[in-house]
Amino acid sequence: MSHSRVLVPKSKHSSNTNGFKTKQIKPRAKRSRNGCFSCKKLKIKCNEDKPICEYCLQTKKECIYPDNVNAGEQQQQLVSLNNKPLQRLNSVSYQLDVSKLELKLLKFYIEFSGKFFAIAMNERFHKFWCDDIPKLWCCSDIIKNSIYSVSSAKLLSCYDPMVYEDVVFNNDGIAEYNNADGQLNLKKISIDYMNKTFELIDLYQLMIDDSNSKNIYDVEDIMGQLLIAKRLATGTRILLPEPKLGNEKIKDFAIMNVMNETYKFSKHFTKHVPILKLSNKYSDLFEPEIIPELDYNILYRKMELNFIKHLEVYVLQNVDTFDIKTILYNTAISYLENGCYSTMYYKYPIALFKSIIYMSGDMDFIKLLENEDHISLKVLYYACCLCSIFHYQLYERSGFFIEFINYYKAHCQRLFDGWEDSIDENIYGWVLGRTQSRFPFELEHIQSVGEPIGEYLVSGIEVIK
């Protein structure tokens, strides 16, 4: 049996400064001969507490002692690839205290997040979402849960709407159809992670409110993680399958929940924006959204979007110029117009959804929607239609938007016994063309939205009105 080599003086005794000879004390052994396999593998001292040592207790590892096993068998057991307890100890998911499913969701997030959350033409922002954010996964519960929620929702969106309710995961994190009790339903998984994320968002906001810390980096870190989680959780809401319509009031719709949550969040967040924009760690959360003036003048100044012009004229004809609501309507229309140009310029369809996020910054506009004010509903209907039509680059289904679109259609049926005007009807035709035929409209087609859909569909596709 080999022993560790200890360096000692040639003489058994050594002299101290007073001339007295003192016996040299040998260093104590750093490792225990009878320690558990976990401590032996890591070459650390085991305190040999039984049934579980201090290290395994703290790290939640399985504590296995080599009782009644000779040294040769111990060595064989430590290196054996077929030893099940050690396979578990060596498992990444066991070491990180996460399930195999959660590891799969993390890997899936890395694969799709760059394209989903970042401007495709900018490598820096792409890297931030798919490389930098996963680095926070192991040390932040709010990031961890938000990644799991959006990944499971994105995975669910890949399945046919007819079967997604039956998609489950087995113990190895492999998706299959529901054929056994106790398996994890993918839709429920996503909703549970999303709800947990929103609980943590509320908690983080309280931390900001109650914080007396003067350390700017503490605030920066909390706010940065809070904003990341908010975007991932909102992405989850968008990706989840179309809700089943019942007798819900408009304030209970998914899009209204997001708008109210965004308004509350903005109250906490706005004052911290300058900190994060200057942050080395979180500044890439703020992609460029303003088109350079020279490019705007060349590309878009003379471009007229027919549906935007239609909305502006509609407000002018139906609302008194001095009515405060005129400002609310025109501001919302302006957000939508800017979102259209940004989508075409940056090849970034999420900019269309961001126009709704900007509308959420005004509680007066949200109140108009909740009170079923027709013009505000019309503006939001156009925004939801555009998102439904052009978000195909990110996901195929658009239930989040379809819920409101169907509501507006029923709203017009009650008020006008059908569509109010041809633009409303034509835009709905574009939505049907997208959802029924999965026809991939190019982003440049935004400028044609509102025209009759027939000429933009491939031959043989019928649009049901």
Side-chain angles (χ1 to χ4, degrees):
M1 182 180 295
S2 61
H3 297 277
S4 59
R5 186 176 180 186
V6 179
L7 298 178
V8 296
K10 292 182 179 180
S11 172
K12 292 185 180 180
H13 299 83
S14 60
S15 299
N16 63 13
T17 55
N18 295 323
F20 294 102
K21 293 181 179 181
T22 58
K23 188 174 181 179
Q24 181 70 27
I25 301 175
K26 295 175 70 174
R28 295 178 63 184
K30 293 183 179 180
R31 284 177 279 165
S32 168
R33 293 184 179 183
N34 299 316
C36 71
F37 286 147
S38 296
C39 293
K40 283 178 176 291
K41 181 175 178 59
L42 294 174
K43 298 181 180 180
I44 61 175
K45 181 173 176 59
C46 179
N47 71 348
E48 299 182 30
D49 282 351
K50 294 184 178 181
I52 181 169
C53 74
E54 183 179 3
Y55 171 75
C56 291
L57 181 65
Q58 294 295 326
T59 58
K60 299 181 181 179
K61 295 183 181 297
E62 187 173 1
C63 194
I64 304 171
Y65 283 95
D67 296 338
N68 301 320
V69 181
N70 60 43
E73 289 174 339
Q74 289 180 26
Q75 182 66 20
Q76 182 181 7
Q77 198 170 22
L78 280 169
V79 299
S80 172
L81 295 177
N82 296 319
N83 183 268
K84 291 184 178 180
L86 285 177
Q87 280 183 338
R88 189 176 177 193
L89 286 171
N90 290 326
S91 163
V92 174
S93 62
Y94 184 78
Q95 297 282 352
L96 297 175
D97 193 25
V98 296
S99 68
K100 292 179 180 179
L101 170 60
E102 289 171 335
L103 282 179
K104 287 180 181 291
L105 293 177
L106 174 63
K107 182 180 178 181
F108 185 51
Y109 169 84
I110 294 171
E111 291 174 355
F112 80 85
S113 59
K115 181 179 179 181
F116 189 90
F117 290 103
I119 296 174
M121 62 190 292
N122 193 305
E123 184 178 349
R124 194 182 91 209
F125 295 112
H126 184 280
K127 178 180 179 297
F128 174 77
W129 283 98
C130 65
D131 291 350
D132 295 346
I133 289 178
K135 294 175 184 177
L136 300 171
W137 165 83
C138 61
C139 57
S140 170
D141 283 343
I142 194 170
I143 299 297
K144 187 177 293 185
N145 280 278
S146 59
I147 285 177
Y148 295 157
S149 71
V150 74
S151 293
S152 51
K154 181 68 168 70
L155 189 59
L156 187 65
S157 71
C158 297
Y159 287 88
D160 189 283
M162 299 298 292
V163 300
Y164 68 73
E165 293 283 1
D166 297 323
V167 179
V168 297
F169 279 91
N170 61 25
N171 292 332
D172 292 323
I174 300 174
E176 55 189 34
Y177 293 113
N178 197 6
N179 55 16
D181 293 334
Q183 292 179 314
L184 300 172
N185 180 275
L186 182 56
K187 182 179 178 182
K188 184 178 185 304
I189 289 170
S190 184
I191 292 173
D192 288 346
Y193 281 130
M194 181 183 69
N195 290 338
K196 179 63 177 177
T197 300
F198 279 115
E199 289 176 10
L200 290 169
I201 286 173
D202 290 340
L203 178 61
Y204 270 53
Q205 288 182 167
L206 288 174
M207 290 170 60
I208 289 292
D209 291 342
D210 296 339
S211 175
N212 294 319
S213 173
K214 296 182 180 179
N215 188 338
I216 190 172
Y217 298 106
D218 290 343
V219 175
E220 172 190 312
D221 220 34
I222 295 173
M223 288 305 304
Q225 293 182 33
L226 183 56
L227 181 55
I228 292 169
K230 179 66 169 61
R231 290 192 181 179
L232 295 181
T234 301
T236 304
R237 282 205 189 279
I238 295 174
L239 287 166
L240 282 173
E242 178 180 347
K244 290 182 172 59
L245 285 174
N247 296 319
E248 298 92 342
K249 296 180 179 179
I250 185 173
K251 66 182 183 62
D252 298 322
F253 285 11
I255 194 165
M256 296 308 301
N257 288 333
V258 167
M259 294 185 77
N260 276 294
E261 288 163 359
T262 300
Y263 174 76
K264 290 189 295 183
F265 179 80
S266 65
K267 291 176 61 179
H268 296 266
F269 178 73
T270 303
K271 63 182 178 181
H272 299 290
V273 167
I275 296 175
L276 290 186
K277 284 189 173 181
L278 296 174
S279 164
N280 292 328
K281 191 174 182 180
Y282 297 108
S283 60
D284 287 342
L285 276 166
F286 304 93
E287 308 99 328
E289 296 176 351
I290 299 176
I291 301 172
E293 185 176 2
L294 179 60
D295 289 350
Y296 177 81
N297 289 335
I298 295 173
L299 297 172
Y300 306 119
R301 182 168 294 280
K302 295 182 179 180
M303 180 184 291
E304 188 171 85
L305 302 175
N306 291 334
F307 60 90
I308 292 293
K309 185 66 175 178
H310 174 67
L311 287 173
E312 291 173 340
V313 171
Y314 187 90
V315 171
L316 185 63
Q317 292 176 343
N318 291 277
V319 187
D320 189 291
T321 306
F322 298 101
D323 191 329
I324 187 64
K325 288 189 290 188
T326 301
I327 298 175
L328 298 176
Y329 299 144
N330 286 329
T331 300
I333 295 169
S334 176
Y335 288 141
L336 182 57
E337 183 179 27
N338 291 335
C340 292
Y341 292 141
S342 294
T343 293
M344 289 187 285
Y345 182 79
Y346 289 112
K347 310 298 181 186
Y348 186 47
I350 284 293
L352 289 170
F353 178 67
K354 284 191 173 182
S355 66
I356 299 177
I357 295 299
Y358 290 133
M359 293 177 198
S360 306
D362 194 326
M363 180 51 69
D364 291 333
F365 186 75
I366 295 175
K367 291 296 183 185
L368 288 175
L369 292 168
E370 291 179 341
N371 292 329
E372 298 188 337
D373 171 79
H374 176 67
I375 299 180
S376 64
L377 294 177
K378 192 180 187 77
V379 174
L380 186 58
Y381 164 71
Y382 280 37
C384 287
C385 286
L386 287 163
C387 290
S388 177
I389 295 164
F390 294 103
H391 276 199
Y392 73 91
Q393 292 189 355
L394 308 176
Y395 49 88
E396 291 189 349
R397 289 200 306 277
S398 55
F400 177 84
F401 305 109
I402 294 295
E403 179 188 35
F404 183 83
I405 291 170
N406 287 338
Y407 160 80
Y408 182 80
K409 181 183 178 184
H411 166 79
C412 286
Q413 185 68 36
R414 291 193 302 270
L415 291 183
F416 311 108
D417 197 25
W419 291 109
E420 181 180 15
D421 52 57
S422 61
I423 302 295
D424 284 12
E425 183 175 10
N426 288 342
I427 290 180
Y428 186 70
W430 281 70
V431 172
L432 291 180
R434 167 71 190 109
T435 57
Q436 293 181 358
S437 68
R438 298 174 184 266
F439 186 81
F441 295 109
E442 297 297 333
L443 296 180
E444 287 72 18
H445 285 156
I446 287 177
Q447 55 190 306
S448 301
V449 170
E451 298 177 12
I453 185 60
E455 60 189 270
Y456 293 94
L457 295 178
V458 294
S459 61
I461 295 178
E462 180 181 357
V463 177
I464 302 173
K465 296 185 180 180

